[in-house]
Amino acid sequence: MSENPSNRTIPSMESLVTLCKRRGFIFQSSEIYGGYAGFFDYGPLGAELKRNVKDAWWKALVHERDDVLGLDSSIIMHPQIWKASGHVDGFADPMVDCKESKKRYRADQLFFAPVRVDGETIGYVSVEEADDMQAQADEKASELKRKLGRQGNLDPVVLQEYTEALPEEYALIPSPATGKPGSLMEPRQFNLMFETKVGPLADASAVSYLRPETAQGIFQNYRNVVDTGRVKIPFGIAQIGKAFRNEITPRNFIFRSREFEQMELEYFINPDDATWPEVYRYWIDWCKNWLVSVGIPADMVGEDVHPAEKLSHYSKGTTDLTFKFPFGTQELWGIACRGNFDLTQHQQHSGKSMEFFDEARKEKYIPHVVEPSLGVDRTILAILTAAYTEDEVPNDKGAPEKRTFLRFAPQIAPYKAAVFPLLKNKPELVETARKLYEQLRRRWNIGWDVSGAIGRRYRRQDEIGTPYGITVDFDTIEKDQCVTIRDRDTTEQVRIALDQVESWLAERIG
């Protein structure tokens, strides 16, 4: 495990992936056939965690607000939608192949720099995008200088994206995989949309696409929601749904995959220049607060404001909320001011009006939109990273023992509590524990475990993030009609009356 600048311990990716497999959170898809790159399956605990995260977002954004309505649009839509949105012609990433290693890179995640000694170029270095890529490049440059036996002062190594390389530099830049110059090919565009065929004919007229984003499902239903939802500006349309991108290099577990799920909001506002900056800032702050509410510490979240020269042509402003993942600081949640580009495009291509009559202003206009877009899978990975904790606690014999546990916020934990009879071979304990378990599971997802010593059962529940362990012992039956409730994080224990357990839990987990 490593330390980040805020002195918070961050687990390795290997630790997270191993735990996810061992405890049934996430599996590699098609594993029995060797796996399928870029696709993952959520196991019993992962499915619960994912459902809880989506429910928390939906509750906060749709159920607890008067200005946001929900939507669930189709994964496959009319291909003209993707023509209007620009995806057919422009939804592509630059791809670079290494001729020797056969490794494939996204050109915008591949960086190079000339190595200069006293102003004279002696070669080039290249690195893949990473938090420490400057340090990697500096080390490679020093190594090249030593290898060539050059004397003098090494100039600062200034990294550039491979997309910015000049044609004459392609033969000079080494591949990160081989270190040999000239093995990288020229960047070429690679469309990320998955094609499919709709209907009985397999010709060009049947070509459609799996949606690469959920936003267009909202925009093409905007008119329907306005006509049926009795909305007024400002208002939002929220959606949770699958999207598909044929990523060149899926990597870092569920961070970048080919099938993923989005939680997306399109928040429609008036076109006044004074409106969008205020709404934009509001949603940045709202998103940060929501992340904290599901257990992601504020000091692990940053803001990356896109400079004007890197904004999409339709964007007035874009900010990424970043997170300190095990592999570096990367985008978690994007908040973009998209103007009225999307609705204008669909109005032009469909011939249907996207204008909104604003009763308060007594005028028609095509609304502008602020879009907070969050990946469910990236959020799960961020939550797992933030929750992963190692400490030492006494074992059954009082000796210190290493413990790994997931510090999930109760609202998203797969199990809210687990019930244990102290011994599984004592019918009176099992009967009382089972009765309490049946009572609690009517309200929450509750675990049941009778196998092994009570300490081992606590450790199993700690590792899957269950906030509370409830033990029925002999005192419960013979003396006080109370149970022992153990806190996952502190391991502290309290005695609570059987008939008060549900209300005690409700105060803490909702």
Side-chain angles (χ1 to χ4, degrees):
M1 299 177 73
S2 60
E3 299 289 329
N4 67 26
S6 65
N7 294 320
R8 184 179 300 279
T9 302
I10 297 178
S12 67
M13 278 301 295
E14 183 182 4
S15 298
L16 283 180
V17 173
T18 300
L19 185 148
C20 286
K21 173 69 184 296
R22 185 175 67 251
R23 290 304 186 190
F25 282 96
I26 302 168
F27 307 128
Q28 175 69 56
S29 181
S30 311
E31 188 177 90
I32 62 172
Y33 291 97
Y36 207 34
F39 299 93
F40 294 90
D41 299 331
Y42 283 76
L45 290 176
E48 291 294 332
L49 177 62
K50 193 175 191 182
R51 186 186 193 94
N52 292 343
V53 168
K54 291 190 291 185
D55 286 349
W57 185 86
W58 194 263
K59 182 174 184 289
L61 196 60
V62 180
H63 291 175
E64 295 179 355
R65 298 181 66 102
D66 294 329
D67 59 344
V68 177
L69 301 171
L71 180 74
D72 185 2
S73 67
S74 175
I75 286 173
I76 297 177
M77 296 181 282
H78 197 291
Q80 278 298 111
I81 286 173
W82 306 113
K83 186 72 174 176
S85 67
H87 284 80
V88 170
D89 297 323
F91 191 63
D93 278 340
M95 177 178 70
V96 178
D97 285 322
C98 174
K99 290 177 285 189
E100 289 203 16
S101 69
K102 308 304 180 186
K103 189 168 181 181
R104 182 162 286 171
Y105 303 93
R106 271 180 52 172
D108 59 350
Q109 295 174 353
L110 185 61
F111 289 78
F112 79 98
V115 178
R116 296 188 176 98
V117 175
D118 294 333
E120 180 187 353
T121 300
I122 63 170
Y124 284 76
V125 294
S126 66
V127 292
E128 291 186 76
E129 183 180 36
D131 276 3
D132 65 342
M133 64 183 184
Q134 185 63 55
Q136 291 183 46
D138 291 341
E139 184 177 345
K140 288 184 177 183
S142 297
E143 177 61 27
L144 180 62
K145 178 174 176 284
R146 287 194 299 271
K147 184 178 178 180
L148 296 177
R150 297 300 295 265
Q151 301 299 314
N153 296 316
L154 191 65
D155 293 353
V157 177
V158 181
L159 290 169
Q160 298 172 264
E161 284 186 12
Y162 192 75
T163 54
E164 299 171 0
L166 300 173
E168 57 267 27
E169 292 179 303
Y170 294 147
L172 305 174
I173 299 171
S175 165
T178 65
K180 295 181 179 179
S183 58
L184 293 175
M185 297 179 67
E186 184 177 345
R188 52 197 173 100
Q189 292 302 110
F190 178 76
N191 194 290
L192 302 179
M193 286 200 294
F194 281 104
E195 282 192 10
T196 187
K197 299 290 179 66
V198 176
L201 299 178
D203 58 16
S205 66
V207 171
S208 190
Y209 306 94
L210 301 183
R211 65 183 179 194
E213 64 173 33
T214 57
Q216 299 307 319
I218 295 175
F219 290 125
Q220 59 101 0
N221 274 296
Y222 153 83
R223 185 78 264 163
N224 289 330
V225 175
V226 168
D227 292 343
T228 61
R230 301 181 65 190
V231 296
K232 61 181 180 180
I233 295 284
F235 74 95
I237 303 175
Q239 179 172 211
I240 300 175
K242 292 275 192 178
F244 305 83
R245 295 181 184 179
N246 195 11
E247 291 284 355
I248 295 168
T249 54
R251 58 179 180 168
N252 293 325
F253 198 31
I254 56 173
F255 176 79
R256 188 182 301 282
S257 52
R258 289 176 168 133
E259 176 185 351
F260 55 97
E261 202 159 5
Q262 289 182 298
M263 300 186 289
E264 198 153 50
L265 169 70
E266 304 298 338
Y267 196 76
F268 299 94
I269 59 176
N270 68 52
D272 294 351
D273 287 339
T275 300
W276 73 265
E278 181 179 348
V279 177
Y280 178 45
R281 185 67 244 177
Y282 168 83
W283 282 111
I284 292 172
D285 293 337
W286 187 96
C287 294
K288 292 172 76 172
N289 290 334
W290 184 84
L291 291 173
V292 171
S293 77
V294 294
I296 295 179
D299 62 6
M300 296 184 79
V301 178
E303 291 185 25
D304 179 20
V305 181
H306 291 207
E309 65 271 15
K310 291 199 172 183
L311 290 174
S312 302
H313 64 89
Y314 52 75
S315 176
K316 293 185 175 182
T318 298
T319 295
D320 291 335
L321 297 186
T322 61
F323 178 80
K324 295 166 183 172
F325 291 98
F327 45 83
T329 300
Q330 296 285 341
E331 176 192 350
L332 175 58
W333 200 333
I335 300 96
C337 298
R338 297 178 70 116
N340 63 3
F341 170 77
D342 297 277
L343 291 181
T344 299
Q345 287 293 104
H346 288 303
Q347 177 171 282
Q348 291 174 354
H349 282 74
S350 71
K352 305 292 193 302
S353 173
M354 297 294 167
E355 290 185 315
F356 181 91
F357 181 72
D358 191 327
E359 289 281 356
R361 296 161 62 111
K362 303 299 181 186
E363 63 173 308
K364 281 185 176 182
Y365 54 80
I366 297 178
H368 287 221
V369 68
V370 176
E371 176 195 81
S373 179
L374 175 65
V376 177
D377 308 271
R378 286 191 183 186
T379 306
I380 297 294
L381 185 55
I383 286 171
L384 286 165
T385 301
Y388 190 98
T389 309
E390 293 179 356
D391 67 0
E392 284 191 348
V393 295
N395 62 17
D396 294 337
K397 297 180 180 179
E401 181 179 79
K402 181 180 175 182
R403 175 179 71 137
T404 298
F405 68 102
L406 293 174
R407 201 189 296 266
F408 286 143
Q411 73 176 121
I412 63 164
Y415 292 125
K416 310 307 180 191
V419 177
F420 320 117
L422 185 63
L423 298 172
K424 67 179 180 180
N425 60 352
K426 297 295 181 181
E428 63 272 30
L429 295 181
V430 174
E431 181 182 353
T432 300
R434 192 72 191 182
K435 188 178 296 183
L436 177 61
Y437 167 71
E438 296 291 349
Q439 174 195 340
L440 298 178
R441 75 189 297 205
R442 288 195 291 267
R443 186 165 181 179
W444 302 290
N445 194 30
I446 301 293
W448 170 262
D449 194 349
V450 298
S451 177
I454 195 68
R456 289 188 177 277
R457 285 183 265 173
Y458 284 152
R459 297 294 186 275
R460 283 198 292 266
Q461 295 298 324
D462 290 346
E463 195 172 40
I464 64 174
T466 305
Y468 302 104
I470 304 169
T471 303
V472 173
D473 55 26
F474 288 107
D475 284 351
T476 308
I477 307 300
E478 299 169 358
K479 292 183 179 180
D480 56 11
Q481 288 292 296
C482 292
V483 296
T484 297
I485 301 183
R486 173 186 176 274
D487 182 275
R488 173 198 66 206
D489 298 345
T490 66
T491 73
E492 293 177 356
Q493 301 182 5
V494 295
R495 294 288 286 182
I496 301 293
L498 268 171
D499 60 1
Q500 296 297 313
V501 172
E502 184 172 347
S503 60
W504 188 93
L505 287 175
E507 289 179 6
R508 288 155 179 81
I509 62 180

